[in-house]
Amino acid sequence: MIDVVKQTPAEYSKQSRDYQVLARLYTALYNMNKMYIDNMQV
């Protein structure tokens, strides 16, 4: 699973709620895309 919060400095999450929202949104989008790619049939 791709986790944007864990891959960026912890200080960003501690200081900014806006960053927390965007990071969680990007995490959801990245994982949804990864799921679709992993489920593709060749």
Side-chain angles (χ1 to χ4, degrees), residues 2 4 22-34:
I2 300 169
V4 175
L22 291 175
R24 291 178 199 275
L25 176 64
Y26 284 129
T27 297
L29 291 173
Y30 290 148
N31 286 312
M32 187 172 62
N33 285 332
K34 183 180 181 321

Side-chain angles (χ1 to χ4, degrees), residues 6-42:
K6 289 183 180 177
Q7 294 180 354
T8 55
E11 198 62 31
Y12 294 166
S13 297
K14 289 180 185 176
Q15 292 186 5
S16 175
R17 289 192 180 192
D18 292 335
Y19 176 79
Q20 290 175 3
V21 170
L22 291 175
R24 291 178 199 275
L25 176 64
Y26 284 129
T27 297
L29 291 173
Y30 290 148
N31 286 312
M32 187 172 62
N33 285 332
K34 183 180 181 321
M35 180 189 68
Y36 287 142
I37 291 169
D38 290 343
N39 288 332
M40 285 177 61
Q41 301 269 335
V42 179

